Amino acid sequence: MAFPKEFLWGGAVAANQCEGAYNEDGKGLDIQDIMPRGIKGAPTAEPTEDNMKLVGIDFYHRYKEDVKLFAEMGFKVFRTSIAWSRIFPNGDDAEPNEKGLQFYDDLFAECHKYGIEPLVTISHYETPLNLAKKYNGWVNHDLIGFYEKYVRVIFNRYKGKVKYWLTFNEINSVLHAPLMSGGIMTPLTELSKSDLYQACHHELVASALATKIGHEIDPEAKIGCMVLSMPTYPLTPNPDDVIATMQANNLNDFFGDMHVRGEYPGYMKRYFRENGIEIKTTPEELALLKAHTVDFVSFSYYVSICETADKSKTQGAGNIIGGAKNPYLKESEWGWQIDPQGLRYVLNRFYNRWQKPLFIVENGLGAKDELVDDGQGGKTVNDDYRIAYLNDHLVQVEEAIEDGVPVMGYTTWGCIDLVSASTAELAKRYGFIYVDRHDDGTGTLNRYKKKSFYWYKDIIESNGEKLKK
Ligand code: BG6
């Protein structure tokens, strides 16, 4: 039996994609409240009614019902994020908002009631809007201090209640989606590489600081980084393509290298030199990075891409990070290429590089679902496509474990339908639980168990034994 007994099976969401209640109980606005088209359209001046995230799936009011359903599937772990602007509505406030803190007390208590361990992302694409507008987000060094204050408050408050923490969701995506990922208002086209890598540096320092503070406040806490994994294959065996691939992988692995090894790698110094990138660092920051490395590495995995030295061919694949299409792979309805073996590959690669326990904290299929009668007076979705996708990926996780990779757990993305990050739609569904809400704003918000709900319950119950090889 490949999956260890203590394997953490579960599911993942993020506050901004499910909670709704965007202005309740003292919550301040965050950048998602003005991004009605995700990364596919311009931000608005104010929150607008067509923004699906303002209501989300109303998890803020319905979390008890939802956690109960997660428990019914047998979840051992539930990944969610804390909405920063529920705790510090403007990001730079003097005092935290008690009602926001209370909400997460209640949510974590509800998880513990069923023996579900919360896995908490400290910052998941939801920078307080004020920090974006007033400081231009993570480009500004001051963000480190605001983040530090926020993490002190939450580590103290949830000490003993949360064991697993992630400092930033997909930290590497700030290079590609600066507003969503880094609260940076300046459009990508107007940002220099120095600006972007300065923002990365600030987030990396903040991440090391969170690791330090978290360990001081709660020595039992396990603190990890979170990267968007993008296994990159050479488009052809042409050595030019192989080197281009090596470089693309390096640029992406840079974030894990910093979190695990705690220093700027040689390939990055060269990249900075050759691209005229200059960033400001201090000896104290560099010492902090070196001294406070992570306990584990977590990552999302959806797609792989190909790289080639011929830049005219590098379009069309990927999600937030783009690349060339792989002619051997099929794709989802949203054009994301499906590559289960890429998961085994990336698990091996990451472990060989970092020798740290790995946690797959996002993986799943965004698809259009049809709610149908279940023949017993209820409703369901016959999502065999989702079952096949998850089954095939989990088989590869098992292979990686057989290869000797220590995998802590697996949380499927969007274990309950939620609003998509890149396109801000509800039509792109990932869940085991269908939520009756639609992009035109209609729907009862009722929850329905999909076929995959029962499938995942079986997989967890059998600790992976029921996977089809
Ligand atoms: C990751 C994010 O990029 O992918 C999630 O961490 C996101 O927030 C997930 O939802 C799936 O992407 P999308 O665009 O289909 O929601």
Side-chain angles (χ1 to χ4, degrees), residues 245-260:
T245 304
M246 180 194 84
Q247 283 165 337
N249 275 321
N250 274 345
L251 289 185
N252 215 17
D253 290 342
F254 159 65
F255 295 84
D257 283 351
M258 291 296 288
H259 277 100
V260 174

Side-chain angles (χ1 to χ4, degrees), residues 13-14 16-17 39 79 124-125 169-170 173 180 226 228 300 302 319-320 334 336 362 366 413-414 418-425 428 430:
V13 300
N16 72 87
Q17 292 172 256
I39 56 173
R79 174 180 177 227
H124 189 133
Y125 294 169
N169 182 63
E170 297 187 331
S173 63
M180 182 169 78
M226 196 298 199
L228 187 166
S300 61
Y302 295 94
N319 46 22
I320 294 176
W334 271 263
W336 292 16
E362 283 188 34
W413 177 251
L418 38 62
V419 185
S420 137
S422 57
T423 59
E425 297 161 289
K428 191 179 186 187
Y430 284 88

Side-chain angles (χ1 to χ4, degrees), residues 230-466:
M230 186 57 82
T232 305
Y233 311 142
L235 188 62
T236 74
N238 181 333
D240 287 343
D241 285 355
V242 174
I243 292 297
T245 304
M246 180 194 84
Q247 283 165 337
N249 275 321
N250 274 345
L251 289 185
N252 215 17
D253 290 342
F254 159 65
F255 295 84
D257 283 351
M258 291 296 288
H259 277 100
V260 174
R261 298 178 180 152
E263 59 192 18
Y264 277 86
Y267 63 79
M268 215 55 207
K269 291 180 185 159
R270 175 175 185 176
Y271 182 76
F272 283 3
R273 233 178 13 249
E274 292 182 350
N275 289 280
I277 299 170
E278 284 181 22
I279 61 165
K280 290 193 196 90
T281 64
T282 66
E284 293 73 30
E285 288 172 351
L286 297 178
L288 185 86
L289 285 163
K290 187 72 191 159
H292 300 283
T293 53
V294 287
D295 300 316
F296 65 97
V297 173
S298 79
F299 63 91
S300 61
Y301 175 68
Y302 295 94
V303 293
S304 60
I305 49 172
C306 293
E307 187 57 75
T308 160
D310 177 355
K311 294 299 169 206
S312 68
K313 293 192 184 139
T314 51
Q315 296 305 314
N319 46 22
I320 294 176
I321 301 179
K325 284 209 182 203
N326 186 329
Y328 295 95
L329 300 177
K330 296 206 175 80
E331 58 189 37
S332 77
E333 289 164 283
W334 271 263
W336 292 16
Q337 290 200 303
I338 300 172
D339 176 17
Q341 284 165 296
L343 183 51
R344 176 183 181 186
Y345 174 74
V346 85
L347 281 163
N348 272 272
R349 237 175 55 74
F350 281 1
Y351 186 59
N352 292 342
R353 192 164 179 122
W354 298 317
Q355 285 93 49
K356 287 281 176 195
L358 301 174
F359 206 141
I360 305 147
V361 295
E362 283 188 34
N363 174 234
L365 178 70
K368 288 188 186 130
D369 284 343
E370 194 194 346
L371 193 64
V372 296
D373 289 338
D374 67 359
Q376 294 161 23
K379 286 187 174 4
T380 190
V381 174
N382 292 315
D383 54 346
D384 294 291
Y385 39 92
R386 183 168 294 109
I387 294 173
Y389 178 102
L390 294 171
N391 180 86
D392 295 353
H393 283 76
L394 276 165
V395 165
Q396 296 303 320
V397 175
E398 195 169 356
E399 292 288 346
I401 295 172
E402 295 284 3
D403 293 331
V405 179
V407 186
M408 295 165 67
Y410 176 86
T411 56
T412 64
W413 177 251
C415 47
I416 180 165
D417 291 348
L418 38 62
V419 185
S420 137
S422 57
T423 59
E425 297 161 289
L426 243 159
K428 191 179 186 187
R429 297 175 182 272
Y430 284 88
F432 300 118
I433 301 159
Y434 182 93
V435 178
D436 181 30
R437 182 160 193 249
H438 309 280
D439 290 319
D440 59 5
T442 60
T444 58
L445 284 164
N446 286 345
R447 276 59 170 153
Y448 299 94
K449 297 173 195 170
K450 302 182 193 176
K451 190 172 176 184
S452 56
F453 179 99
Y454 302 98
W455 170 83
Y456 199 43
K457 182 177 191 296
D458 266 3
I459 297 301
I460 298 178
E461 215 162 61
S462 66
N463 203 30
E465 287 250 304
K466 293 220 173 136

